[in-house]
Amino acid sequence: MSIIRVHDKQFEPYLTANEISARIKTLAGQLDKDYAGKRPLFIAILNGSFIFAADLFKELTMEAEICFIKLASYKGTKSSGQVITAIGLDTDLFGRDVVIVEDIVDTGKTLSEFLPQLKHQQPASMKIVALLHKPEATVFPIPIDYLGFAIPNKFVVGYGLDYDGLGRNIREIYKLVE
Ligand code: IMP
């Protein structure tokens, strides 16, 4: 692995495909154990989590469902600021054990605005699995129940994550060279 270029920026190797898949196997093992006999519903947030969600889901041996949603933010009223809505959430969450699948939690803004909307539907439980978390970037603290890797506050691409649309198909995770 060496330095790569995406658009106008250079990125250096950070996590190998082997490191990522080993960590995902461990996470899947924990989930299998914690949700044994429960048939949880995984909700993967597009676009960034599509590869992580697929690889994680393949490793699970329990009965589980998965659906994919996209978050759209639009300007609400002045008092509410940005409003985030979910597109494609067609399953009733009432009484379900829900596991949100995110690629990366950065400031925590997205999930902090979106989670209360899901809780409104009264799931039996709601946990979060995130591949990456930048603890130093936290503005809105989010409890991440299953975390792949805590990473420095650097921009990363690859394994589903993009820089301005590109880089999602890179098998490893690269971080910005500054
Ligand atoms: P938050 O609302 O600040 O936690 O941001 C979450 C979203 O920002 C993620 O789901 C990503 O889509 C995007 N994001 C944050 N950091 C990065 C990064 O380093 N690379 C690519 N996308 C990122």
Side-chain angles (χ1 to χ4, degrees), residues 18-65:
N18 280 343
E19 286 170 325
I20 298 167
S21 72
R23 187 74 192 115
I24 287 175
K25 284 194 171 79
T26 304
L27 291 176
Q30 289 170 358
L31 287 158
D32 267 336
K33 195 161 135 273
D34 294 352
Y35 286 89
K38 283 195 166 158
R39 198 182 289 184
L41 170 67
F42 287 75
I43 302 180
I45 302 180
L46 295 172
N47 293 327
S49 75
F50 75 114
I51 293 178
F52 172 50
D55 284 350
L56 179 72
F57 202 67
K58 280 190 293 185
E59 294 296 336
L60 299 173
T61 57
M62 65 181 156
E63 282 194 342
E65 294 174 33

mmCIF file of all heavy atoms in Angstrom, residues 18-65:
data_model
loop_
_atom_site.group_PDB
_atom_site.id
_atom_site.type_symbol
_atom_site.label_atom_id
_atom_site.label_comp_id
_atom_site.label_asym_id
_atom_site.label_seq_id
_atom_site.Cartn_x
_atom_site.Cartn_y
_atom_site.Cartn_z
ATOM 1 N N ASN A 18 -7.238 -6.610 5.771
ATOM 2 C CA ASN A 18 -7.197 -7.694 6.770
ATOM 3 C C ASN A 18 -7.556 -7.193 8.161
ATOM 4 O O ASN A 18 -8.270 -7.862 8.901
ATOM 5 C CB ASN A 18 -5.805 -8.336 6.822
ATOM 6 C CG ASN A 18 -5.617 -9.317 5.686
ATOM 7 O OD1 ASN A 18 -6.594 -9.751 5.072
ATOM 8 N ND2 ASN A 18 -4.373 -9.647 5.395
ATOM 9 N N GLU A 19 -7.040 -6.027 8.515
ATOM 10 C CA GLU A 19 -7.365 -5.469 9.839
ATOM 11 C C GLU A 19 -8.861 -5.204 9.947
ATOM 12 O O GLU A 19 -9.490 -5.472 10.974
ATOM 13 C CB GLU A 19 -6.587 -4.160 10.073
ATOM 14 C CG GLU A 19 -5.113 -4.374 10.367
ATOM 15 C CD GLU A 19 -4.308 -3.079 10.358
ATOM 16 O OE1 GLU A 19 -4.607 -2.165 9.552
ATOM 17 O OE2 GLU A 19 -3.370 -2.985 11.148
ATOM 18 N N ILE A 20 -9.427 -4.654 8.873
ATOM 19 C CA ILE A 20 -10.864 -4.346 8.885
ATOM 20 C C ILE A 20 -11.677 -5.634 9.014
ATOM 21 O O ILE A 20 -12.578 -5.735 9.843
ATOM 22 C CB ILE A 20 -11.266 -3.570 7.608
ATOM 23 C CG1 ILE A 20 -10.525 -2.228 7.540
ATOM 24 C CG2 ILE A 20 -12.775 -3.349 7.569
ATOM 25 C CD1 ILE A 20 -10.608 -1.535 6.188
ATOM 26 N N SER A 21 -11.330 -6.647 8.214
ATOM 27 C CA SER A 21 -12.174 -7.848 8.244
ATOM 28 C C SER A 21 -12.013 -8.605 9.558
ATOM 29 O O SER A 21 -12.989 -9.177 10.067
ATOM 30 C CB SER A 21 -11.943 -8.739 7.029
ATOM 31 O OG SER A 21 -10.712 -9.369 7.131
ATOM 32 N N ALA A 22 -10.822 -8.574 10.143
ATOM 33 C CA ALA A 22 -10.642 -9.238 11.445
ATOM 34 C C ALA A 22 -11.506 -8.554 12.506
ATOM 35 O O ALA A 22 -12.165 -9.211 13.321
ATOM 36 C CB ALA A 22 -9.175 -9.200 11.860
ATOM 37 N N ARG A 23 -11.516 -7.236 12.473
ATOM 38 C CA ARG A 23 -12.306 -6.489 13.473
ATOM 39 C C ARG A 23 -13.811 -6.751 13.293
ATOM 40 O O ARG A 23 -14.565 -6.864 14.252
ATOM 41 C CB ARG A 23 -11.995 -4.992 13.332
ATOM 42 C CG ARG A 23 -12.595 -4.135 14.400
ATOM 43 C CD ARG A 23 -11.881 -4.277 15.743
ATOM 44 N NE ARG A 23 -12.655 -3.645 16.797
ATOM 45 C CZ ARG A 23 -13.212 -4.282 17.822
ATOM 46 N NH1 ARG A 23 -13.042 -5.579 17.992
ATOM 47 N NH2 ARG A 23 -13.917 -3.637 18.718
ATOM 48 N N ILE A 24 -14.230 -6.836 12.022
ATOM 49 C CA ILE A 24 -15.645 -7.083 11.733
ATOM 50 C C ILE A 24 -16.066 -8.470 12.234
ATOM 51 O O ILE A 24 -17.164 -8.635 12.773
ATOM 52 C CB ILE A 24 -15.925 -6.899 10.221
ATOM 53 C CG1 ILE A 24 -15.871 -5.408 9.897
ATOM 54 C CG2 ILE A 24 -17.258 -7.515 9.822
ATOM 55 C CD1 ILE A 24 -16.007 -5.068 8.441
ATOM 56 N N LYS A 25 -15.187 -9.449 12.085
ATOM 57 C CA LYS A 25 -15.504 -10.801 12.598
ATOM 58 C C LYS A 25 -15.721 -10.752 14.102
ATOM 59 O O LYS A 25 -16.643 -11.376 14.628
ATOM 60 C CB LYS A 25 -14.366 -11.769 12.263
ATOM 61 C CG LYS A 25 -14.349 -12.202 10.812
ATOM 62 C CD LYS A 25 -13.417 -13.412 10.619
ATOM 63 C CE LYS A 25 -13.541 -13.987 9.235
ATOM 64 N NZ LYS A 25 -12.810 -13.253 8.206
ATOM 65 N N THR A 26 -14.875 -9.972 14.800
ATOM 66 C CA THR A 26 -15.028 -9.858 16.266
ATOM 67 C C THR A 26 -16.351 -9.185 16.616
ATOM 68 O O THR A 26 -17.084 -9.649 17.506
ATOM 69 C CB THR A 26 -13.858 -9.032 16.855
ATOM 70 O OG1 THR A 26 -12.643 -9.664 16.465
ATOM 71 C CG2 THR A 26 -13.923 -8.961 18.365
ATOM 72 N N LEU A 27 -16.663 -8.096 15.915
ATOM 73 C CA LEU A 27 -17.932 -7.387 16.174
ATOM 74 C C LEU A 27 -19.121 -8.316 15.930
ATOM 75 O O LEU A 27 -20.073 -8.340 16.714
ATOM 76 C CB LEU A 27 -18.059 -6.147 15.282
ATOM 77 C CG LEU A 27 -17.119 -4.974 15.561
ATOM 78 C CD1 LEU A 27 -17.328 -3.873 14.518
ATOM 79 C CD2 LEU A 27 -17.341 -4.420 16.956
ATOM 80 N N ALA A 28 -19.060 -9.073 14.833
ATOM 81 C CA ALA A 28 -20.163 -9.974 14.494
ATOM 82 C C ALA A 28 -20.321 -11.037 15.576
ATOM 83 O O ALA A 28 -21.450 -11.392 15.952
ATOM 84 C CB ALA A 28 -19.916 -10.620 13.130
ATOM 85 N N GLY A 29 -19.206 -11.521 16.105
ATOM 86 C CA GLY A 29 -19.247 -12.515 17.184
ATOM 87 C C GLY A 29 -19.942 -11.951 18.418
ATOM 88 O O GLY A 29 -20.764 -12.632 19.045
ATOM 89 N N GLN A 30 -19.616 -10.696 18.749
ATOM 90 C CA GLN A 30 -20.260 -10.061 19.912
ATOM 91 C C GLN A 30 -21.756 -9.903 19.685
ATOM 92 O O GLN A 30 -22.578 -10.170 20.564
ATOM 93 C CB GLN A 30 -19.638 -8.679 20.172
ATOM 94 C CG GLN A 30 -18.226 -8.755 20.724
ATOM 95 C CD GLN A 30 -17.528 -7.388 20.737
ATOM 96 O OE1 GLN A 30 -18.086 -6.384 20.289
ATOM 97 N NE2 GLN A 30 -16.309 -7.369 21.237
ATOM 98 N N LEU A 31 -22.121 -9.462 18.471
ATOM 99 C CA LEU A 31 -23.539 -9.259 18.153
ATOM 100 C C LEU A 31 -24.291 -10.585 18.196
ATOM 101 O O LEU A 31 -25.393 -10.672 18.755
ATOM 102 C CB LEU A 31 -23.675 -8.598 16.773
ATOM 103 C CG LEU A 31 -23.296 -7.115 16.720
ATOM 104 C CD1 LEU A 31 -22.944 -6.678 15.306
ATOM 105 C CD2 LEU A 31 -24.435 -6.252 17.275
ATOM 106 N N ASP A 32 -23.705 -11.617 17.615
ATOM 107 C CA ASP A 32 -24.331 -12.948 17.631
ATOM 108 C C ASP A 32 -24.643 -13.378 19.058
ATOM 109 O O ASP A 32 -25.710 -13.939 19.338
ATOM 110 C CB ASP A 32 -23.378 -13.983 17.015
ATOM 111 C CG ASP A 32 -23.618 -14.175 15.522
ATOM 112 O OD1 ASP A 32 -24.738 -13.900 15.055
ATOM 113 O OD2 ASP A 32 -22.681 -14.599 14.822
ATOM 114 N N LYS A 33 -23.683 -13.105 19.938
ATOM 115 C CA LYS A 33 -23.826 -13.515 21.335
ATOM 116 C C LYS A 33 -24.913 -12.676 22.030
ATOM 117 O O LYS A 33 -25.817 -13.204 22.656
ATOM 118 C CB LYS A 33 -22.478 -13.295 22.028
ATOM 119 C CG LYS A 33 -22.312 -13.961 23.343
ATOM 120 C CD LYS A 33 -20.812 -14.050 23.664
ATOM 121 C CE LYS A 33 -20.518 -13.643 25.081
ATOM 122 N NZ LYS A 33 -20.310 -12.259 25.358
ATOM 123 N N ASP A 34 -24.833 -11.351 21.839
ATOM 124 C CA ASP A 34 -25.747 -10.446 22.552
ATOM 125 C C ASP A 34 -27.196 -10.563 22.070
ATOM 126 O O ASP A 34 -28.123 -10.272 22.822
ATOM 127 C CB ASP A 34 -25.281 -8.991 22.398
ATOM 128 C CG ASP A 34 -23.942 -8.748 23.081
ATOM 129 O OD1 ASP A 34 -23.461 -9.656 23.780
ATOM 130 O OD2 ASP A 34 -23.369 -7.657 22.903
ATOM 131 N N TYR A 35 -27.377 -10.922 20.787
ATOM 132 C CA TYR A 35 -28.739 -10.940 20.231
ATOM 133 C C TYR A 35 -29.247 -12.367 19.973
ATOM 134 O O TYR A 35 -30.224 -12.542 19.236
ATOM 135 C CB TYR A 35 -28.801 -10.121 18.934
ATOM 136 C CG TYR A 35 -28.744 -8.634 19.198
ATOM 137 C CD1 TYR A 35 -27.528 -7.974 19.262
ATOM 138 C CD2 TYR A 35 -29.902 -7.894 19.427
ATOM 139 C CE1 TYR A 35 -27.458 -6.609 19.533
ATOM 140 C CE2 TYR A 35 -29.849 -6.535 19.697
ATOM 141 C CZ TYR A 35 -28.630 -5.901 19.749
ATOM 142 O OH TYR A 35 -28.569 -4.552 20.026
ATOM 143 N N ALA A 36 -28.611 -13.339 20.589
ATOM 144 C CA ALA A 36 -29.020 -14.739 20.377
ATOM 145 C C ALA A 36 -30.517 -14.898 20.653
ATOM 146 O O ALA A 36 -31.015 -14.460 21.693
ATOM 147 C CB ALA A 36 -28.209 -15.655 21.281
ATOM 148 N N GLY A 37 -31.233 -15.452 19.694
ATOM 149 C CA GLY A 37 -32.666 -15.721 19.862
ATOM 150 C C GLY A 37 -33.575 -14.514 19.721
ATOM 151 O O GLY A 37 -34.773 -14.600 19.965
ATOM 152 N N LYS A 38 -33.012 -13.367 19.292
ATOM 153 C CA LYS A 38 -33.815 -12.128 19.288
ATOM 154 C C LYS A 38 -34.249 -11.627 17.907
ATOM 155 O O LYS A 38 -35.122 -10.802 17.796
ATOM 156 C CB LYS A 38 -33.026 -11.013 19.969
ATOM 157 C CG LYS A 38 -33.037 -11.123 21.474
ATOM 158 C CD LYS A 38 -32.586 -9.833 22.107
ATOM 159 C CE LYS A 38 -32.912 -9.789 23.577
ATOM 160 N NZ LYS A 38 -32.061 -8.834 24.291
ATOM 161 N N ARG A 39 -33.631 -12.045 16.845
ATOM 162 C CA ARG A 39 -33.938 -11.609 15.484
ATOM 163 C C ARG A 39 -33.947 -10.074 15.329
ATOM 164 O O ARG A 39 -34.991 -9.452 15.042
ATOM 165 C CB ARG A 39 -35.282 -12.166 15.037
ATOM 166 C CG ARG A 39 -35.429 -12.122 13.522
ATOM 167 C CD ARG A 39 -36.769 -12.629 13.061
ATOM 168 N NE ARG A 39 -36.927 -14.057 13.213
ATOM 169 C CZ ARG A 39 -37.994 -14.737 12.812
ATOM 170 N NH1 ARG A 39 -38.987 -14.115 12.253
ATOM 171 N NH2 ARG A 39 -38.051 -16.028 12.982
ATOM 172 N N PRO A 40 -32.797 -9.447 15.531
ATOM 173 C CA PRO A 40 -32.732 -7.981 15.451
ATOM 174 C C PRO A 40 -32.923 -7.464 14.022
ATOM 175 O O PRO A 40 -32.757 -8.206 13.055
ATOM 176 C CB PRO A 40 -31.310 -7.665 15.942
ATOM 177 C CG PRO A 40 -30.531 -8.895 15.651
ATOM 178 C CD PRO A 40 -31.483 -10.041 15.830
ATOM 179 N N LEU A 41 -33.266 -6.180 13.961
ATOM 180 C CA LEU A 41 -33.355 -5.494 12.667
ATOM 181 C C LEU A 41 -32.176 -4.537 12.555
ATOM 182 O O LEU A 41 -32.051 -3.597 13.347
ATOM 183 C CB LEU A 41 -34.666 -4.710 12.575
ATOM 184 C CG LEU A 41 -34.790 -3.759 11.371
ATOM 185 C CD1 LEU A 41 -34.855 -4.547 10.056
ATOM 186 C CD2 LEU A 41 -36.027 -2.865 11.519
ATOM 187 N N PHE A 42 -31.292 -4.782 11.585
ATOM 188 C CA PHE A 42 -30.180 -3.878 11.331
ATOM 189 C C PHE A 42 -30.650 -2.794 10.367
ATOM 190 O O PHE A 42 -31.268 -3.099 9.346
ATOM 191 C CB PHE A 42 -28.981 -4.640 10.736
ATOM 192 C CG PHE A 42 -28.271 -5.490 11.750
ATOM 193 C CD1 PHE A 42 -28.832 -6.688 12.180
ATOM 194 C CD2 PHE A 42 -27.067 -5.090 12.301
ATOM 195 C CE1 PHE A 42 -28.190 -7.471 13.139
ATOM 196 C CE2 PHE A 42 -26.425 -5.856 13.266
ATOM 197 C CZ PHE A 42 -26.992 -7.049 13.684
ATOM 198 N N ILE A 43 -30.367 -1.539 10.706
ATOM 199 C CA ILE A 43 -30.705 -0.423 9.813
ATOM 200 C C ILE A 43 -29.402 0.239 9.399
ATOM 201 O O ILE A 43 -28.739 0.899 10.202
ATOM 202 C CB ILE A 43 -31.623 0.605 10.512
ATOM 203 C CG1 ILE A 43 -32.914 -0.061 10.988
ATOM 204 C CG2 ILE A 43 -31.930 1.765 9.569
ATOM 205 C CD1 ILE A 43 -33.880 0.892 11.689
ATOM 206 N N ALA A 44 -29.025 0.026 8.144
ATOM 207 C CA ALA A 44 -27.764 0.574 7.646
ATOM 208 C C ALA A 44 -28.023 1.927 6.990
ATOM 209 O O ALA A 44 -28.972 2.086 6.223
ATOM 210 C CB ALA A 44 -27.140 -0.384 6.641
ATOM 211 N N ILE A 45 -27.186 2.884 7.327
ATOM 212 C CA ILE A 45 -27.373 4.236 6.796
ATOM 213 C C ILE A 45 -26.489 4.441 5.561
ATOM 214 O O ILE A 45 -25.263 4.381 5.637
ATOM 215 C CB ILE A 45 -27.073 5.290 7.888
ATOM 216 C CG1 ILE A 45 -27.999 5.045 9.094
ATOM 217 C CG2 ILE A 45 -27.260 6.692 7.333
ATOM 218 C CD1 ILE A 45 -27.817 6.001 10.240
ATOM 219 N N LEU A 46 -27.145 4.665 4.438
ATOM 220 C CA LEU A 46 -26.458 4.866 3.158
ATOM 221 C C LEU A 46 -25.949 6.306 3.054
ATOM 222 O O LEU A 46 -26.479 7.170 3.731
ATOM 223 C CB LEU A 46 -27.430 4.589 2.005
ATOM 224 C CG LEU A 46 -27.912 3.135 1.914
ATOM 225 C CD1 LEU A 46 -29.024 3.015 0.875
ATOM 226 C CD2 LEU A 46 -26.760 2.213 1.578
ATOM 227 N N ASN A 47 -24.972 6.638 2.211
ATOM 228 C CA ASN A 47 -24.314 5.705 1.332
ATOM 229 C C ASN A 47 -23.135 5.002 2.001
ATOM 230 O O ASN A 47 -22.829 3.847 1.684
ATOM 231 C CB ASN A 47 -23.750 6.449 0.104
ATOM 232 C CG ASN A 47 -24.845 6.993 -0.778
ATOM 233 O OD1 ASN A 47 -25.913 6.423 -0.901
ATOM 234 N ND2 ASN A 47 -24.586 8.110 -1.415
ATOM 235 N N GLY A 48 -22.477 5.705 2.917
ATOM 236 C CA GLY A 48 -21.174 5.267 3.405
ATOM 237 C C GLY A 48 -21.098 3.874 3.996
ATOM 238 O O GLY A 48 -20.065 3.230 3.931
ATOM 239 N N SER A 49 -22.216 3.375 4.577
ATOM 240 C CA SER A 49 -22.113 2.116 5.315
ATOM 241 C C SER A 49 -22.382 0.885 4.455
ATOM 242 O O SER A 49 -22.443 -0.222 4.983
ATOM 243 C CB SER A 49 -23.061 2.134 6.515
ATOM 244 O OG SER A 49 -24.388 1.948 6.077
ATOM 245 N N PHE A 50 -22.532 1.047 3.136
ATOM 246 C CA PHE A 50 -23.007 -0.116 2.361
ATOM 247 C C PHE A 50 -22.029 -1.282 2.367
ATOM 248 O O PHE A 50 -22.444 -2.441 2.429
ATOM 249 C CB PHE A 50 -23.421 0.279 0.937
ATOM 250 C CG PHE A 50 -22.306 0.553 -0.031
ATOM 251 C CD1 PHE A 50 -22.102 -0.276 -1.119
ATOM 252 C CD2 PHE A 50 -21.469 1.636 0.119
ATOM 253 C CE1 PHE A 50 -21.089 -0.030 -2.040
ATOM 254 C CE2 PHE A 50 -20.443 1.897 -0.790
ATOM 255 C CZ PHE A 50 -20.246 1.051 -1.865
ATOM 256 N N ILE A 51 -20.751 -1.017 2.336
ATOM 257 C CA ILE A 51 -19.777 -2.120 2.309
ATOM 258 C C ILE A 51 -19.623 -2.716 3.714
ATOM 259 O O ILE A 51 -19.662 -3.929 3.901
ATOM 260 C CB ILE A 51 -18.432 -1.638 1.738
ATOM 261 C CG1 ILE A 51 -18.611 -1.288 0.254
ATOM 262 C CG2 ILE A 51 -17.346 -2.701 1.920
ATOM 263 C CD1 ILE A 51 -17.382 -0.757 -0.430
ATOM 264 N N PHE A 52 -19.486 -1.855 4.694
ATOM 265 C CA PHE A 52 -19.378 -2.320 6.087
ATOM 266 C C PHE A 52 -20.596 -3.151 6.465
ATOM 267 O O PHE A 52 -20.472 -4.247 7.037
ATOM 268 C CB PHE A 52 -19.218 -1.098 7.001
ATOM 269 C CG PHE A 52 -19.279 -1.404 8.466
ATOM 270 C CD1 PHE A 52 -18.512 -2.428 9.015
ATOM 271 C CD2 PHE A 52 -20.101 -0.670 9.315
ATOM 272 C CE1 PHE A 52 -18.562 -2.712 10.386
ATOM 273 C CE2 PHE A 52 -20.153 -0.945 10.683
ATOM 274 C CZ PHE A 52 -19.386 -1.972 11.210
ATOM 275 N N ALA A 53 -21.792 -2.644 6.160
ATOM 276 C CA ALA A 53 -23.023 -3.339 6.532
ATOM 277 C C ALA A 53 -23.072 -4.718 5.876
ATOM 278 O O ALA A 53 -23.437 -5.715 6.514
ATOM 279 C CB ALA A 53 -24.243 -2.510 6.139
ATOM 280 N N ALA A 54 -22.696 -4.791 4.610
ATOM 281 C CA ALA A 54 -22.747 -6.075 3.894
ATOM 282 C C ALA A 54 -21.752 -7.055 4.498
ATOM 283 O O ALA A 54 -22.083 -8.218 4.751
ATOM 284 C CB ALA A 54 -22.452 -5.861 2.410
ATOM 285 N N ASP A 55 -20.523 -6.603 4.754
ATOM 286 C CA ASP A 55 -19.502 -7.500 5.309
ATOM 287 C C ASP A 55 -19.863 -7.943 6.720
ATOM 288 O O ASP A 55 -19.670 -9.108 7.077
ATOM 289 C CB ASP A 55 -18.129 -6.812 5.299
ATOM 290 C CG ASP A 55 -17.526 -6.798 3.891
ATOM 291 O OD1 ASP A 55 -18.076 -7.474 2.988
ATOM 292 O OD2 ASP A 55 -16.499 -6.121 3.696
ATOM 293 N N LEU A 56 -20.388 -7.023 7.513
ATOM 294 C CA LEU A 56 -20.788 -7.367 8.885
ATOM 295 C C LEU A 56 -21.941 -8.372 8.856
ATOM 296 O O LEU A 56 -21.924 -9.385 9.566
ATOM 297 C CB LEU A 56 -21.216 -6.096 9.640
ATOM 298 C CG LEU A 56 -21.682 -6.285 11.079
ATOM 299 C CD1 LEU A 56 -20.509 -6.617 12.003
ATOM 300 C CD2 LEU A 56 -22.381 -5.015 11.603
ATOM 301 N N PHE A 57 -22.912 -8.102 8.019
ATOM 302 C CA PHE A 57 -24.108 -8.944 7.963
ATOM 303 C C PHE A 57 -23.766 -10.374 7.535
ATOM 304 O O PHE A 57 -24.334 -11.336 8.029
ATOM 305 C CB PHE A 57 -25.145 -8.311 7.021
ATOM 306 C CG PHE A 57 -26.542 -8.772 7.298
ATOM 307 C CD1 PHE A 57 -27.180 -8.421 8.476
ATOM 308 C CD2 PHE A 57 -27.225 -9.559 6.386
ATOM 309 C CE1 PHE A 57 -28.474 -8.856 8.747
ATOM 310 C CE2 PHE A 57 -28.513 -9.995 6.642
ATOM 311 C CZ PHE A 57 -29.141 -9.642 7.824
ATOM 312 N N LYS A 58 -22.801 -10.489 6.608
ATOM 313 C CA LYS A 58 -22.388 -11.817 6.133
ATOM 314 C C LYS A 58 -21.767 -12.648 7.244
ATOM 315 O O LYS A 58 -21.782 -13.867 7.183
ATOM 316 C CB LYS A 58 -21.352 -11.673 5.011
ATOM 317 C CG LYS A 58 -21.949 -11.361 3.654
ATOM 318 C CD LYS A 58 -20.892 -11.488 2.564
ATOM 319 C CE LYS A 58 -19.830 -10.428 2.702
ATOM 320 N NZ LYS A 58 -18.841 -10.419 1.614
ATOM 321 N N GLU A 59 -21.171 -11.972 8.220
ATOM 322 C CA GLU A 59 -20.485 -12.681 9.312
ATOM 323 C C GLU A 59 -21.432 -13.140 10.407
ATOM 324 O O GLU A 59 -21.050 -13.922 11.270
ATOM 325 C CB GLU A 59 -19.402 -11.790 9.945
ATOM 326 C CG GLU A 59 -18.240 -11.468 9.034
ATOM 327 C CD GLU A 59 -17.436 -12.708 8.646
ATOM 328 O OE1 GLU A 59 -17.454 -13.713 9.388
ATOM 329 O OE2 GLU A 59 -16.802 -12.672 7.581
ATOM 330 N N LEU A 60 -22.664 -12.619 10.408
ATOM 331 C CA LEU A 60 -23.606 -12.990 11.470
ATOM 332 C C LEU A 60 -24.157 -14.387 11.204
ATOM 333 O O LEU A 60 -24.443 -14.733 10.056
ATOM 334 C CB LEU A 60 -24.767 -11.988 11.532
ATOM 335 C CG LEU A 60 -24.398 -10.534 11.832
ATOM 336 C CD1 LEU A 60 -25.630 -9.628 11.683
ATOM 337 C CD2 LEU A 60 -23.803 -10.396 13.229
ATOM 338 N N THR A 61 -24.318 -15.165 12.272
ATOM 339 C CA THR A 61 -24.893 -16.495 12.074
ATOM 340 C C THR A 61 -26.319 -16.574 12.632
ATOM 341 O O THR A 61 -27.049 -17.505 12.339
ATOM 342 C CB THR A 61 -24.026 -17.581 12.762
ATOM 343 O OG1 THR A 61 -23.918 -17.264 14.141
ATOM 344 C CG2 THR A 61 -22.642 -17.637 12.145
ATOM 345 N N MET A 62 -26.719 -15.581 13.428
ATOM 346 C CA MET A 62 -28.073 -15.587 13.990
ATOM 347 C C MET A 62 -29.106 -15.189 12.922
ATOM 348 O O MET A 62 -28.748 -14.712 11.844
ATOM 349 C CB MET A 62 -28.159 -14.577 15.131
ATOM 350 C CG MET A 62 -27.960 -13.158 14.640
ATOM 351 S SD MET A 62 -28.034 -12.000 15.985
ATOM 352 C CE MET A 62 -27.102 -10.631 15.349
ATOM 353 N N GLU A 63 -30.373 -15.364 13.261
ATOM 354 C CA GLU A 63 -31.432 -14.839 12.399
ATOM 355 C C GLU A 63 -31.467 -13.335 12.573
ATOM 356 O O GLU A 63 -31.520 -12.839 13.694
ATOM 357 C CB GLU A 63 -32.791 -15.401 12.826
ATOM 358 C CG GLU A 63 -33.036 -16.803 12.373
ATOM 359 C CD GLU A 63 -34.506 -17.163 12.529
ATOM 360 O OE1 GLU A 63 -35.235 -16.477 13.264
ATOM 361 O OE2 GLU A 63 -34.914 -18.141 11.901
ATOM 362 N N ALA A 64 -31.430 -12.595 11.457
ATOM 363 C CA ALA A 64 -31.441 -11.138 11.552
ATOM 364 C C ALA A 64 -32.003 -10.569 10.256
ATOM 365 O O ALA A 64 -31.929 -11.206 9.203
ATOM 366 C CB ALA A 64 -30.038 -10.615 11.792
ATOM 367 N N GLU A 65 -32.580 -9.367 10.361
ATOM 368 C CA GLU A 65 -33.068 -8.667 9.168
ATOM 369 C C GLU A 65 -32.218 -7.431 8.951
ATOM 370 O O GLU A 65 -31.621 -6.908 9.894
ATOM 371 C CB GLU A 65 -34.522 -8.231 9.363
ATOM 372 C CG GLU A 65 -35.500 -9.383 9.474
ATOM 373 C CD GLU A 65 -36.903 -8.888 9.812
ATOM 374 O OE1 GLU A 65 -37.287 -7.784 9.379
ATOM 375 O OE2 GLU A 65 -37.607 -9.605 10.532
#
